[in-house]
Amino acid sequence: MPLHGKRRTLAVRGATALAVLPLAAIALTTPAHAAPTITVAADGSGNYKTIQSALAAASSGTVINIKPGTYYGQVSISSSKSDITLQGTTGTATDVVITGNTPASTAGTAGSATVLNMAKNTSVKGVTIANTYAAHDSQALALYAGGDRQVYPNVRLLGYQDTFLSWGGTGSSQVRQYVYKSYIEGAVDFIYGNGALVIDSTTIRSLDRGSTNNGYITAAATHSSNPYGILITRSTLLSSAAAQTVALGRCWHAGGAADAIGQVLIRDSTLGAHIRQAGAWQDMGGFSWKTCRFNEYNNSGAGASTGTSDRPRMSSATAANYTSQKYLAGSDGWNPVQ
């Protein structure tokens, strides 16, 4: 029976009970509002066969359950689709794969993204998002996160160059995202942007390019007026690449903007031997890395800082104000941290 039919039946029963039940008991008989749910299955066993068709039908607050399978082509969550949840039904991210193979050289940055999420208050969990374009000549995003208050628990983000972009547009406007207990893979600038982005309890794998320069993990373009950019915390940085061949990041002045003073902190994490000691932070586009705000705090592992001049370390007093909660609070006190 449709939900509205159930409500009519309950209303009649409630009216009968008014003479004998106290108001508190009557309130308990009122059903809670359930979020609308849509099921996607590539084999046709759900409401829709594609994630995009499910999104077209979804309204604010809809939960889209995705059955195991491989789903090809871009998934675009427009800014009008706020409060959407996309989740794999098994809870195992490798069971649900959303994949594309589009470079920015032919489709533009947003067009290359396998998942383009421009909506606020969204949650994506229990899925793999991949862009399999691995040539060295172009960006090819797995995830473009362009909406505020987005959470990504238990996701796998796979790419090569520019895997994951957090971007709030030009100027000081800033979006916030929280990634938790996930896996991110790439080679060149594969975690980048100007958002307030927290990556927590996550494995970050740098691909081996077989070179003395095996790439850069971050490329922050944080606006100078924003104190917080990219935070990597309680995470593990690993690679099969040769020792001391991967940089922690470089300073991205997006579009040559002098006020893009990137901010990155890597703290309370385990760093593999692939991380450079000298040259851990790199120049980019004619701008020195020293124009940006790069720091480490309380890391361990073979790649942790040994105290070189190329590895600035934050003091414990300052680090107290550079927590996950501080990065994400904004003006509304948002706190998704687990």
Side-chain angles (χ1 to χ4, degrees), residues 71-96:
Y71 299 84
Y72 297 94
Q74 186 179 70
V75 170
S76 178
I77 308 173
S78 72
S79 59
S80 64
K81 300 287 184 176
S82 62
D83 298 285
I84 295 288
T85 296
L86 294 181
Q87 60 184 19
T89 57
T90 68
T92 300
T94 52
D95 289 345
V96 176

Side-chain angles (χ1 to χ4, degrees), residues 296-317:
E296 299 172 66
Y297 175 73
N298 195 39
N299 296 315
S300 61
S305 175
T306 59
T308 70
S309 60
D310 287 350
R311 303 280 296 268
R313 287 187 285 183
M314 185 173 280
S315 70
S316 57

